[in-house]
Amino acid sequence: MPTLEEEIRRLMADETASLYAAPDLAERVMSSSRHKRRRAWAAAVAASVALVAAAPVAYLTAGSVATTGDQVTVSAAPEPPAIDDTPPLPSDPPDLGDLGDGREFGHVKVGYLPERLRWSHWSVDSGDSYSTSYDYKGDKNGFYCVQIFMHEEAAIQQLGDRIQAYRDESDGEEVTIGDRTGYLVVQHVGEDGMKGTPTLFLKMADRQWAEIMFSPVYAKEFSGAEAVSAELKKIAEGLTSTL
């Protein structure tokens, strides 16, 4: 008389034959609902247990399938965890704090500014690069007239690439400010319908450069490009490194 285990195996073998007899089994499983897919998958796995089980106790891993004596337990594989692909929002960069009159910040002192300009109470600190600006009202939410950006250490390479790009295009000119070298150029030409941003790059030290900018709106208050360039050079002359 066959044992209970042998009878289970015989019944599973019969079921296996009917399962593999259908040539469109895979297609039907893929097109059915999630519930039906799991039922068909579980039946197929259970049938495979009958074909490969050679002992009264066998364990297969395909999700989790186990036969123990006269019981067959099938549990579906767990759903993968949800993936949050929303990037974190950037936080506001830190500023340089209270700069008083704004004539000294980071590693630089500002000696000369055009008339009526004062610190805007705005600044940004990105470590190797930092900046502040000046306007008429000292309003951090207003439009700047003059902005000074300092580039140090690792930030020097990126600035050098920008200046070299202007040189390669023969855009701008080399300048000498006292015993220091620099480059004078109008950046962002045509932006917002303006003539661009007059800028003077100045080498302050081996690992420190200044970038002095006039806003296009502020530049229109001067008589022409030569007058703007003269003011940029005066600001550059008055900068002192504190490194």
Side-chain angles (χ1 to χ4, degrees):
M1 181 176 180
T3 64
L4 178 60
E5 184 70 25
E6 292 172 342
E7 183 64 16
I8 290 175
R9 287 178 177 166
R10 184 187 64 77
L11 292 173
M12 286 183 174
D14 293 342
E15 181 64 19
T16 301
S18 62
L19 285 173
Y20 283 103
D24 64 341
L25 173 61
E27 181 179 352
R28 289 189 285 109
V29 169
M30 292 299 294
S31 62
S32 63
S33 66
R34 180 186 297 271
H35 179 66
K36 290 181 179 180
R37 285 201 304 270
R38 287 181 176 173
R39 288 180 57 190
W41 176 84
V45 172
S48 68
V49 171
L51 297 178
V52 301
V57 179
Y59 294 93
L60 297 179
T61 301
S64 179
V65 180
T67 64
T68 305
D70 58 352
Q71 287 188 329
V72 177
T73 303
V74 178
S75 60
E79 293 288 338
I83 298 175
D84 183 6
D85 58 356
T86 303
L89 295 176
S91 59
D92 291 334
D95 59 32
L96 299 171
D98 186 356
L99 301 179
D101 62 0
R103 293 298 188 105
E104 183 173 358
F105 63 100
H107 300 121
V108 66
K109 289 183 179 180
V110 181
Y112 171 81
L113 284 173
E115 292 183 0
R116 297 189 297 128
L117 293 190
R118 54 182 175 172
W119 183 44
S120 67
H121 292 85
W122 171 90
S123 65
V124 61
D125 182 8
S126 301
D128 286 341
S129 61
Y130 49 92
S131 178
T132 193
S133 63
Y134 307 89
D135 59 23
Y136 289 131
K137 298 180 179 180
D139 180 9
K140 67 184 298 182
N141 298 314
F143 294 99
Y144 81 97
C145 294
V146 171
Q147 182 171 357
I148 300 176
F149 228 116
M150 299 303 299
H151 305 270
E152 298 172 358
E153 303 300 334
I156 295 293
Q157 179 62 51
Q158 183 178 13
L159 180 67
D161 292 342
R162 287 169 53 198
I163 297 174
Q164 188 59 49
Y166 289 126
R167 289 189 177 112
D168 293 344
E169 297 173 1
S170 298
D171 189 4
E173 60 179 310
E174 306 285 347
V175 295
T176 301
I177 309 295
D179 60 351
R180 299 182 292 196
T181 59
Y183 200 81
L184 185 64
V185 68
V186 177
Q187 300 189 93
H188 321 303
V189 175
E191 185 174 287
D192 298 328
M194 301 292 178
K195 293 184 177 180
T197 304
T199 304
L200 194 157
F201 299 101
L202 178 69
K203 183 178 181 180
M204 302 281 294
D206 287 341
R207 302 299 295 171
Q208 184 186 51
W209 280 71
E211 180 178 0
I212 310 163
M213 296 176 287
F214 270 29
S215 76
V217 174
Y218 181 60
K220 291 170 65 177
E221 297 185 15
F222 293 82
S223 59
E226 290 186 3
V228 171
S229 296
E231 285 295 292
L232 285 170
K233 291 177 181 178
K234 286 183 181 179
I235 297 173
E237 290 172 353
L239 295 183
T240 302
S241 174
T242 59
L243 276 175

